[in-house]
Amino acid sequence: MTEQEHPQQHVAPLLHAAFGAQAALLLYVAAKLDLADHLLNGASTAADIARALGLDAAAVQRILRGLVSLGVCEELDGGRFRLTTLGEHLRADHPDSVRSRVILNVEVHHALWSDLLQTVRTGEPASQRVLGMPFYDYLAHNPAIGDVFDRAMTSAGWVRYRLRPAIEAYDFGQFRSIVDVGGGNGVLLTELLRTYPQPKGTVFDVPRLAQAAQQTIDAAGLGARCRFTAGNAFEEVPAGADAYILSNFINSWGDDEAVVFLRNCRRAVDPQGKLIAIDWVMPANDEARDGFRFWDTVTMDLIMLAAFGSRSGRIRSRSEFDALLRSAGFAVIREIPTYASVSVIEAEPA
C-alpha cells in the first residue's frame, strides 16, 4: 500500500507560514529552558527533563513533540527524546548557536510583529505604539532587554555568519586606524583587529555600552590597540582615522537621519581614507534572489519596518546606497559580496 499525499499538502507551505508564531514560541520555550542542553548527553524522557527543571511533565512532553515536528529533536521508543543535528544549534555552547537570536525574536521583536498591520496602514513604527518609545530608547531604558539584544548581536553564530564573512572579504589591514561607528560592545572591531595586526581601533557608541565594550576589548587582549569612546554619531564622531566602519547601522535610519552621521564621518575621515558599510543590499530589478540570502535580507528589512516605520530604517538597494552616500560627500567605489547575506560597500571622500 502506497502512502497517499495528504489532501492539504498543496497548501502546506502557507499553513506552515501562518502558524509560524507557534513555531517561534516552541523554539523560544526550548531556548529559555535550555532543553537542548538537557538533551545533549543522550535521550531523556519528558518526565526526566520536567523533574530536573521543576516543570509539568505532560506539558514538557507536548512541547518536545512540537519540537519533533520542527526537526529539532526526535522521539524514540520508551517516550525518550534526543536532539537532532539541527537541534544542537539551540545549545548555548554550540559554535553556531542561534539561541540568543531565538530569544531576541520573541522577547523583543514579537510584540512589534503583532502590530504590523497598523504599521502598514499608517507607516508609523510599532515601537512607539507598543513599547511607548523609539526602539533604541526602549533598549536603553530596559537593561535586561538591551542585554538580550546585545547578546544576540554578538553571539557566536552572528560573528561567524555576519561579521567574519565581511572581515575576510575586505582587506582592513591597509588602514592605520579604524573607528567602528555604532560599534556596540566591540565584537566586530576586536575580531577585525585580531585578524589584522596593523590597525588600531576605536569602538564608538552610546555610553551604556562602555562597560560591555571594555570587557570585550580586555578579553581579546587588545587594550593596547583598541579603546571605547562614548558619544552620539548625530553630533560628531572621533576625527582623524583613515577608516570608518558602519556595520548594520545605516539600515536603522531614514535618509534624512542617516545623512547626518554620514556627513559627520565625512568631516572626520582622513582625506585619503575610506568609509566601509557592512550591510544587507536589497536586490532590485532582475538581480538574483538567492534562497536563504534573499529570505534573510527581506526578513531584516521587515524587522526595520516594524521597529522604525516605513519612512525610517530599511534595507537599501545598491542604487539607494549610492545616492545616500553621494549626498553625504562620499563616492561608492565598489560593492563586495561575501559568502553570507551581507555585502561590504567601500566609499571614499568625493
Side-chain angles (χ1 to χ4, degrees):
M1 181 178 178
T2 59
E3 183 178 349
Q4 290 185 327
E5 183 181 88
H6 191 282
Q8 285 192 292
Q9 190 66 33
H10 63 293
V11 295
L14 287 178
L15 292 174
H16 288 157
F19 284 83
Q22 183 188 71
L25 288 167
L26 281 170
L27 295 175
Y28 171 73
V29 169
K32 288 291 284 187
L33 297 178
D34 295 321
L35 293 184
D37 296 293
H38 282 82
L39 289 169
L40 179 60
N41 296 320
S44 299
T45 66
D48 291 336
I49 295 173
R51 188 162 43 249
L53 296 175
L55 305 171
D56 181 84
V60 169
Q61 185 174 49
R62 292 160 80 169
I63 293 295
L64 289 170
R65 283 181 176 151
L67 294 171
V68 169
S69 75
L70 298 178
V72 171
C73 57
E74 55 186 356
E75 187 171 3
L76 309 174
D77 58 357
R80 295 173 302 130
F81 295 84
R82 71 180 176 193
L83 279 181
T84 62
T85 301
L86 177 64
E88 290 186 359
H89 292 81
L90 286 175
R91 287 167 30 205
D93 64 345
H94 194 283
D96 294 333
S97 177
V98 297
R99 179 180 180 275
S100 295
R101 291 172 63 192
V102 166
I103 293 173
L104 172 71
N105 184 51
V106 171
E107 293 192 353
V108 178
H109 294 309
H110 194 74
L112 305 181
W113 291 124
S114 68
D115 204 41
L116 187 60
L117 179 61
Q118 190 64 10
T119 293
V120 174
R121 283 175 169 157
T122 65
E124 299 299 324
S127 56
Q128 193 67 53
R129 296 188 304 273
V130 175
L131 306 177
M133 62 186 73
F135 183 74
Y136 286 123
D137 289 354
Y138 181 72
L139 298 182
H141 284 83
N142 296 271
I145 297 297
D147 185 57
V148 170
F149 181 85
D150 294 338
R151 285 201 311 273
M153 295 299 103
T154 58
S155 65
W158 184 267
V159 171
R160 182 170 178 179
Y161 294 112
R162 293 285 193 268
L163 306 185
R164 284 301 317 175
I167 292 170
E168 294 172 12
Y170 185 82
D171 178 20
F172 291 94
Q174 64 185 288
F175 303 116
R176 58 177 174 76
S177 59
I178 299 171
V179 175
D180 186 0
V181 179
N185 67 0
V187 67
L188 168 61
L189 192 55
T190 54
E191 189 77 9
L192 187 157
L193 294 180
R194 283 191 291 202
T195 304
Y196 298 95
Q198 177 183 339
K200 293 185 177 181
T202 299
V203 180
F204 180 71
D205 214 316
V206 293
R208 78 173 181 87
L209 293 166
Q211 182 177 358
Q214 195 60 54
Q215 288 174 347
T216 303
I217 293 167
D218 293 342
L222 290 168
R225 294 175 56 207
C226 189
R227 63 177 181 173
F228 178 89
T229 298
N232 184 343
F234 286 95
E235 297 173 358
E236 63 178 356
V237 300
D242 56 351
Y244 287 78
I245 297 176
L246 296 108
S247 175
N248 190 25
F249 187 71
I250 296 176
N251 60 38
S252 296
W253 309 97
D255 288 355
D256 291 345
E257 300 160 314
V259 75
V260 175
F261 58 74
L262 287 170
R263 285 174 177 164
N264 288 338
C265 291
R266 176 65 182 83
R267 283 189 285 270
V269 68
D270 183 272
Q272 305 303 316
K274 302 282 181 61
L275 182 135
I276 310 297
I278 301 173
D279 217 321
W280 292 259
V281 178
M282 184 65 71
N285 302 319
D286 61 348
E287 293 174 344
R289 289 158 171 78
D290 300 326
F292 181 83
R293 185 191 305 267
F294 181 58
W295 174 87
D296 195 36
T297 302
V298 170
T299 296
M300 183 56 61
D301 186 52
L302 292 171
I303 288 173
M304 298 296 107
L305 173 63
F308 306 114
S310 65
R311 292 176 287 278
S312 191
R314 69 182 188 279
I315 302 301
R316 292 171 172 84
S317 67
R318 169 59 193 273
S319 64
E320 289 173 325
F321 268 113
D322 286 352
L324 174 62
L325 291 171
R326 187 167 56 249
S327 69
F330 289 97
V332 174
I333 302 171
R334 55 180 173 157
E335 175 192 343
I336 306 168
T338 73
Y339 59 81
S341 302
V342 295
S343 292
V344 178
I345 297 173
E346 180 186 41
E348 63 184 3

